[in-house]
């Protein structure tokens, strides 16, 4: 039943007077000012209370959102436990002026971290394109704990650079995945010869040495934790 404006006004007046369904107390017994300002507490459980009720107590003092678990093990390779580890180094002959320096840096690092000379085999291939297939063969032989792949690809005037870089990258990745042996990517991809020489013992360090250290750590991780 629709109500006009006069009917709505009458209902509002009756509500204010407390004569409709006993919804409001009689004006003769009005609520106190304190009761109006401070209503009675609800009997519903708070969120914290419900958590405690279910047997879970929230620690409000803990500020970090991460839970520290003392039983969790952290596995990491060591660069000091090199006894018994064997390594293969695949080196591209192309851009030999660069790759020889990378190899020297790698061998010096192996020596520095007490890897025996008889536990290192160096295999030469024509270029970086051929590294992947040889690395996979060495990995599958079961003789080595890691294979270090060294090469240098320098950009030229054609798209040949992109083809070789992509093939070398995917080749080394596939070698590690298919053999189950860490194959470390130590192929420089530079715009010019100066960039390559700077990364082969120049002002930017020796990437061959860095990759040799990575090979030691990965070999240790696999040998001591992931066998």
């Amino acid at each position: 039943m629709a109500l006009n404006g006069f009917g709505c006004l009458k209902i509002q007046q009756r509500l204010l007077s407390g004569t409709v369904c006993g919804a409001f107390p009689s004006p003769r017994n009005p609520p106190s000012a304190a009761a109006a300002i401070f209503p009675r507490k609800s009997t519903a459980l708070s969120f914290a209370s419900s958590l405690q009720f279910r047997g879970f107590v929230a620690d409000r003092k803990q500020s970090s959102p991460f839970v520290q678990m003392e039983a969790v093990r952290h596995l990491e390779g060591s660069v000091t436990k090199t006894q018994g580890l064997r390594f293969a180094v695949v080196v591209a002959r192309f851009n030999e002026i660069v790759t020889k320096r990378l190899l020297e840096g790698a061998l010096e690092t192996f020596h520095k971290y007490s890897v025996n000379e008889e536990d290192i085999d160096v295999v030469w291939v024509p270029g970086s394109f051929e590294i992947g297939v040889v690395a996979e063969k060495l990995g599958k032989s079961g003789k080595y704990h890691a294979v270090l792949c060294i090469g240098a690809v320098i950009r030229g005037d054609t798209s040949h650079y992109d083809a070789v870089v992509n093939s070398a990258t995917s080749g080394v990745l596939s070698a590690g995945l298919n053999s189950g042996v860490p194959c470390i990517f130590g192929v420089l991809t530079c715009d010019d010869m100066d960039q390559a020489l700077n990364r082969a013992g120049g002002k930017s360090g020796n990437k061959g040495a860095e990759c040799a250290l990575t090979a030691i750590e990965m070999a240790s991780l696999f040998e001591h934790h992931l066998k």
Side-chain angles (χ1 to χ4, degrees):
M1 178 177 64
L3 297 176
N4 56 22
F6 179 76
C8 293
L9 178 61
K10 295 294 289 182
I11 291 176
Q12 292 177 359
Q13 291 174 350
R14 295 180 65 187
L15 287 172
L16 292 174
S17 63
T19 58
V20 177
C21 300
F24 291 88
S26 171
R28 293 174 294 180
N29 188 23
S32 64
I37 298 175
F38 303 101
R40 290 180 298 177
K41 294 183 179 180
S42 172
T43 57
L45 290 174
S46 66
F47 176 72
S49 300
S50 62
L51 289 178
Q52 294 177 358
F53 180 77
R54 294 177 181 228
F56 178 85
V57 179
D59 185 5
R60 297 182 180 178
K61 295 182 180 180
Q62 184 171 348
S63 59
S64 174
F66 300 102
V67 179
Q68 295 182 355
M69 304 180 192
E70 295 181 358
V72 174
R73 294 192 307 155
H74 294 265
L75 307 180
E76 187 175 2
S78 171
V79 295
T80 58
K81 299 179 181 179
T82 59
Q83 185 176 5
L85 297 180
R86 288 185 52 80
F87 299 91
V89 185
V90 184
V91 189
R93 189 176 294 109
F94 195 78
N95 288 323
E96 190 173 13
I97 188 176
V98 178
T99 59
K100 268 191 172 182
R101 298 185 184 188
L102 294 173
L103 175 61
E104 291 172 359
L107 295 178
E108 288 176 3
T109 299
F110 283 137
H111 177 73
K112 179 180 178 180
Y113 286 89
S114 303
V115 178
N116 297 325
E117 291 184 3
E118 56 270 22
D119 291 330
I120 305 171
D121 290 336
V122 178
V123 181
W124 289 87
V125 295
S128 296
F129 186 89
E130 292 76 26
I131 289 177
V133 63
V134 176
E136 182 172 338
K137 185 74 172 179
L138 294 170
K140 288 182 176 180
S141 69
K143 298 179 180 179
Y144 306 101
H145 295 90
V147 180
L148 175 54
C149 304
I150 290 177
V153 185
I154 300 175
R155 188 183 298 276
D157 296 329
T158 67
S159 60
H160 181 71
Y161 168 88
D162 298 315
V164 175
V165 168
N166 292 335
S167 298
T169 303
S170 60
V172 174
L173 175 62
S174 298
L177 294 175
N178 295 334
S179 67
V181 173
C183 292
I184 312 303
F185 188 79
V187 179
L188 295 183
T189 56
C190 302
D191 290 329
D192 52 50
M193 181 62 72
D194 288 338
Q195 285 185 356
L197 292 175
N198 284 335
R199 288 157 179 77
K203 61 183 180 180
S204 297
N206 192 307
K207 301 305 178 182
E210 295 177 9
C211 290
L213 194 60
T214 301
I216 294 173
E217 183 175 345
M218 289 296 291
S220 173
L221 177 64
F222 272 59
E223 177 66 13
H224 300 298
H225 300 295
L226 303 180
K227 291 187 71 174

